[in-house]
Amino acid sequence: MFVNVDSVHDSADFPEQVDVVVIGGGIVGTTTAYELACRGVSVALLEKGLIGCEQSSRNWGWVRQQNRDMFELPLAMHSLNRWEALSKEIGRDVGFRRSGIVYTTDNPESLAKWEAWGEKARAHGFVSHVLTAEQAHERAPGTTSRWLGGIFSPTDGHAEPAMACPAIAHGARERGAHVHQNCAVRGLEIAGGRVTGVWTERGLIRTSSVVCAGGAWSSRFCRRHGVELPAANIMGTTVQTTSGDQVTPGCLTTPKIALRRRLDGGYTLAMPGLGRVEISPQGLRYATKFYGAYRSKLAKKLQVRIGRSFFRGPEAAGSWQFDQISPFEQQRILDPMPDMAQACAALAGLHAEYPSLRGVHIARAWGGMIDTTPDMVPIISPVEAVPGLVIASGFSGHGFGIGPAAGQLTADIVTGATPVVDPTPYRLDRFARGSRIRQPEMM
Ligand SMILES: Cc1cc2nc3c(=O)[nH]c(=O)nc-3n(C[C@H](O)[C@H](O)[C@H](O)COP(=O)(O)OP(=O)(O)OC[C@H]3O[C@@H](n4cnc5c(N)ncnc54)[C@H](O)[C@@H]3O)c2cc1C
């Protein structure tokens, strides 16, 4: 375990019955439980490992609207407002700072694309500024690179992944949610064709509503109940550096590196777009649905290899009984090994780009699985074949930023409230057999 995540206390009593069970204590599950608890709904948040210890603490911490898929932009914009409010509401710092995001480039095509994207985004009320070369260097001074220009989104921000989920789970518990860690949900109890409960490793909880927010594990969980959730897990490597001079107050992507200034004075650093996919039964099952995504530019920097995922973990095959230890308990925390060659290359890129940071070293490096859908837009949707089940998963590398709004939308779906944004683009049935799958648009 290479990420230090704030700890969370469990609730004292384990419930026998609740209105809603939320599976998974990442940003999506914790914010869903929080929103439900705020509405007076009785809710249990069940996490197989520890709150926030998978993707939601392993990400870069960017909270961005810039360059999002237009289908996702309304959710991203709403999420920024939720992030802004959360620390105050909960009385604990989630680490959110609205310090803007800068992208720089030496490629005229990228500049043209960003400009075109900005035009479309303006229709949604989102404003970013295309930067000249001089303005780009002013926004991120001290670089050795000669950029052609960039883009700056002043209303974007960042938050601290290691603080956010624990703080939100704490807020949910204070508002009456039952929070239990080391408590895997093994499966659904279904009677009369609809959800009537969940089987956990501590026994049955009766409920009529279940939210599956299991991140990289959701697809395997759903498949056990005959629900197809096309997803592929991509492993990314991230570095935490020791502290150093401030070259950006927020988030910056250059052609070589992506970095975020951390509250502790170091940087969260990575090489943009790089990732690794392992061949697995789940990957083979959904290969045709991902054909377009893998052919697209987005996948050009992916390495493909055979590894343990074929036999073990979220993408493996095999069923289980609900009175037996399930795959979820066998791996309490998904902790893939980082690619240290990539981590070192990211540090070298930082040193080359910013000579003032040559004294900065790697404090930690970690791997994280990114659960991705074929069009790289999340699934936030009821499951028609299993009334009572709602999926909130497949956040495709953007879920930390849009998590708070996703939690709110999920709570709206569960309670039948007017949805905070139009949920149509997030429906599961867009991947049904025979449907044409849209190409990923996110940059
Ligand atoms: C390297 C990397 C960089 C990223 N950078 C960014 C970024 O800068 N900005 C951004 O917006 N997003 C980023 N992301 C994506 C973001 O982290 C995810 O989209 C988001 O955290 C997903 O949240 P989640 O709650 O859906 O899943 P997770 O955080 O993975 O949480 C799911 C939880 O469910 C639990 N669980 C699963 N199955 C069960 C079960 N059966 N019973 C009980 N518990 C279960 C798991 O243990 C896990 O804790 C990045 C991701 C990675 C890996």
Side-chain angles (χ1 to χ4, degrees):
M1 178 75 211
F2 293 93
V3 189
N4 277 339
V5 181
D6 289 353
S7 58
V8 175
H9 295 297
D10 282 0
S11 304
D13 301 322
F14 194 74
E16 286 180 7
Q17 180 165 6
V18 288
D19 295 335
V20 185
V21 168
V22 176
I23 304 172
I27 191 74
V28 178
T30 53
T31 51
T32 301
Y34 175 77
E35 296 290 343
L36 288 168
C38 288
R39 297 174 197 191
V41 175
S42 82
V43 53
L45 173 64
L46 305 179
E47 165 54 52
K48 69 178 169 58
L50 298 172
I51 293 290
C53 280
E54 290 199 349
Q55 289 178 85
S56 294
S57 59
R58 290 159 188 268
N59 63 72
W60 301 353
W62 292 44
V63 176
R64 86 173 151 99
Q65 306 149 101
Q66 180 66 47
N67 291 348
R68 290 278 181 239
D69 191 308
M70 286 299 149
F71 276 10
E72 223 178 76
L73 186 59
L75 208 55
M77 290 175 70
H78 187 74
S79 212
L80 262 293
N81 298 333
R82 289 302 295 136
W83 274 111
E84 188 118 64
L86 276 170
S87 296
K88 210 165 170 197
E89 275 178 31
I90 294 168
R92 290 193 175 206
D93 192 6
V94 295
F96 178 70
R97 306 289 184 269
R98 208 188 266 268
S99 49
I101 287 182
V102 176
Y103 282 77
T104 65
T105 185
D106 46 20
N107 179 348
E109 268 179 37
S110 299
L111 265 187
K113 258 199 235 159
W114 296 341
E115 205 162 355
W117 182 93
E119 286 296 318
K120 285 199 240 166
R122 213 156 291 150
H124 291 270
F126 175 71
V127 177
S128 58
H129 307 285
V130 175
L131 305 174
T132 61
E134 200 182 358
Q135 289 167 333
H137 285 90
E138 273 167 18
R139 285 267 157 221
T143 178
T144 53
S145 295
R146 299 198 61 77
W147 299 320
L148 190 67
I151 194 149
F152 173 53
S153 48
T155 57
D156 276 331
H158 60 96
E160 286 298 333
M163 293 159 66
C165 290
I168 297 165
H170 173 85
R173 206 191 55 222
E174 287 219 313
R175 284 156 183 79
H178 299 268
V179 177
H180 291 280
Q181 301 168 97
N182 290 307
C183 182
V185 177
R186 293 174 172 169
L188 302 173
E189 173 75 353
I190 295 177
R194 60 162 302 122
V195 170
T196 55
V198 293
W199 284 102
T200 79
E201 60 185 289
R202 297 186 206 166
L204 179 72
I205 301 180
R206 276 176 286 124
T207 185
S208 56
S209 282
V210 174
V211 173
C212 178
W217 300 85
S218 288
S219 185
R220 190 163 187 192
F221 182 90
C222 288
R223 206 157 52 250
R224 173 68 180 77
H225 294 280
V227 176
E228 297 288 342
L229 193 173
N233 293 335
I234 300 175
M235 204 282 284
T237 292
T238 308
V239 167
Q240 175 187 339
T241 73
T242 52
S243 58
D245 288 355
Q246 178 170 301
V247 297
T248 174
C251 304
L252 169 69
T253 291
T254 76
K256 290 186 203 130
I257 48 170
L259 67 157
R260 171 179 68 85
R261 181 77 167 163
R262 301 167 57 92
L263 292 187
D264 62 16
Y267 289 92
T268 293
L269 172 70
M271 296 183 76
L274 292 191
R276 195 176 69 210
V277 176
E278 289 192 355
I279 293 173
S280 67
Q282 181 176 298
L284 296 173
R285 185 180 189 91
Y286 297 125
T288 53
K289 297 207 185 285
F290 279 89
Y291 180 69
Y294 285 157
R295 271 192 57 208
S296 76
K297 258 182 67 193
L298 288 168
K300 282 201 176 136
K301 293 183 182 170
L302 285 186
Q303 284 174 4
V304 181
R305 68 167 210 187
I306 295 185
R308 286 191 199 154
S309 304
F310 205 94
F311 308 103
R312 186 168 186 255
E315 296 188 275
S319 194
W320 62 93
Q321 298 302 313
F322 302 151
D323 58 356
Q324 290 172 350
I325 290 180
S326 68
F328 313 111
E329 293 137 272
Q330 283 163 356
Q331 244 174 319
R332 294 271 176 203
I333 295 175
L334 196 55
D335 186 18
M337 287 296 286
D339 178 338
M340 285 314 290
Q342 211 184 98
C344 293
L347 188 71
L350 181 73
H351 289 164
E353 190 108 54
Y354 286 104
S356 67
L357 292 177
R358 285 199 179 143
V360 152
H361 305 292
I362 295 178
R364 292 196 164 94
W366 59 84
M369 287 294 190
I370 301 173
D371 61 328
T372 307
T373 63
D375 58 7
M376 301 196 78
V377 171
I379 296 162
I380 307 171
S381 172
V383 178
E384 274 171 26
V386 186
L389 175 62
V390 172
I391 295 175
S393 259
F395 282 82
S396 306
H398 334 140
F400 185 65
I402 61 177
Q408 205 175 351
L409 178 61
T410 309
D412 292 340
I413 291 172
V414 168
T415 57
T418 305
V420 65
V421 298
D422 176 10
T424 315
Y426 317 121
R427 286 192 63 84
L428 175 65
D429 59 16
R430 70 187 192 270
F431 298 124
R433 191 186 289 255
S435 306
R436 197 178 143 269
I437 294 176
R438 189 173 160 263
Q439 291 298 295
E441 278 190 4
M442 199 271 307
M443 282 185 272

